[in-house]
Each structure stands twice: as structure tokens, then as C-alpha cells.
Amino acid sequence: MRAQLARIDAVLVQALIAAALSFAHLHDVASAAGQDGWKAWAYPVSVDLLLVAAWRRLRTGDAKAAAWCWFVIALTASLGANVATAGLLDLDQVPAWLRILVAGWPAVAFLGGTLLAHSTPARHEDTEDEQDQEDAPDPTPELPAQLVPEPTPAPPAVAVPAALVEHARKVAAEHRTRTGTAIDTPTLRARLGVPAPMAEAIAAHL
């Protein structure tokens, strides 16, 4: 536990030293470019805040390209100030292009900070809901109800005269005496010369 705290403390101290040096270099460049008073101190705050905002969007957001763009811009401004104070530029006679860059930085930082802070990242909840819907099994289609065939209506009963039934009984008895078997419906129909429905009705009375 103590070793971990010592390692964290060392990292924090190193970060504070680096931040303080970068802060001072940015202040010196801004002051040399004609930004005096509180304005010279506002420049390093602006650069560092843009750098932190871009790094946070890189870790938590989805707009990676925009976050990388603003991160590189802020890092270039910070590194440029550090290099400029290493003796490569005469801070007593700052070139005009550096004055232009320093004067235009607030607008660039405002644009970058606004875009990073107010751009709406894609919500992961919607993505998870869409994935759940895609993973969900397709609903089983309902089978159409089987049509129950309607019962065939029975043919209407054929009225058979009693005299015809009596004659048919005689024909059936004669057929049994001659052949030894009961008369069938086709034979009865042929002997009586009646339609098939009537022959079936007569056979039912035998």
C-alpha cells in the first residue's frame, strides 16, 4: 500500500512539475507576443483545458477523429511554446506570424472547446437495445387456422310409394329363390327401372 502511494505521489509530482513548466512557457510566449497582464496568464489555461477536454473525449466519447484533431492542435501549441522559449526565438523581437497565432488562439480554443463539450456522443444504450433486438429470435409465424370441412348435407329422403315397396319385396324374394342370395341395389334398380336414389330408398325398406 505504501509503495503504491509512493508511486502515485511521484507521478503527481512529475505531472505538477511538467504542468508548471509548460504553463510558464506559454505565459512567456503570450507575454512576448503583446498579451500583457491577466491575458498572458489566460493563454496557458486555455491551451491546457483544450488538451484535457480533447483527451477526455478520446477516452469516453465516440467522435475519435475530432478529438484527435483538437488534441494535436493543443499539443502543438504547448510544444511550440516550450520550444520557442528554448532560445530558438528572440522573445524581445517576436516575429509577426507568432503574434498573429497568439492573437488568433482564443477563437480557435473557443471553437474547439465548444465542439468537444457540446457535441452529442452516440448513446450506448440505443446500440445495446438494437443489438438485443437483433439477437432476439424471430417470432414464430402463426399458422393459419385449418379449415374444418363442412359436413356434406344428407340427400333428401326419397318418398317411396308403398305399392312400389311391396313390388320390390316380391322381386327380391324371387331373386333370392332363384340365386340363393339377397338382391343388390344395382340389380333391384335394373329390375324396377327406377333412378338410383329411389332404388337405394327401396333397398332400405327391404
Side-chain angles (χ1 to χ4, degrees):
M1 185 66 179
R2 292 181 178 179
Q4 184 178 3
L5 291 176
R7 183 170 64 252
I8 294 176
D9 291 341
V11 172
L12 290 177
V13 171
Q14 179 66 22
L16 290 175
I17 293 175
L21 291 175
S22 179
F23 195 92
H25 292 161
L26 286 167
H27 170 269
D28 294 343
V29 171
S31 179
Q35 307 296 326
D36 54 354
W38 66 270
K39 293 181 291 185
W41 293 106
Y43 273 84
V45 175
S46 173
V47 173
D48 291 343
L49 286 180
L50 183 60
L51 193 65
V52 171
W55 176 248
R56 182 178 181 184
R57 176 54 61 88
L58 282 175
R59 296 190 61 184
T60 61
D62 295 329
K64 301 295 184 181
W68 271 115
C69 177
W70 291 110
F71 181 81
V72 171
I73 292 175
L75 185 62
T76 302
S78 179
L79 289 176
N82 295 334
V83 173
T85 55
L88 298 180
L89 289 177
D90 186 4
L91 296 181
D92 294 332
Q93 296 180 354
V94 177
W97 61 266
L98 182 57
R99 293 178 180 272
I100 295 174
L101 290 178
V102 172
W105 173 257
V108 176
F110 177 78
L111 177 62
T114 302
L115 293 177
L116 291 173
H118 296 286
S119 58
T120 304
R123 295 185 302 176
H124 296 285
E125 297 178 357
D126 296 342
T127 305
E128 293 178 357
D129 294 341
E130 292 178 358
Q131 292 178 354
D132 294 341
Q133 293 178 359
E134 292 177 358
D135 297 338
D138 296 335
T140 304
E142 297 182 358
L143 297 176
Q146 297 181 354
L147 299 178
V148 179
E150 297 180 357
T152 304
V158 180
V160 182
L164 187 56
V165 173
E166 190 65 26
H167 177 64
R169 286 174 180 172
K170 292 179 181 180
V171 173
E174 180 185 355
H175 181 80
R176 180 181 291 276
T177 300
R178 187 176 69 255
T179 62
T181 58
I183 190 171
D184 54 0
T185 302
T187 303
L188 181 62
R189 177 188 175 191
R191 293 288 301 273
L192 297 178
V194 294
M198 183 171 288
E200 293 177 356
I202 294 173
H205 288 81
L206 297 181

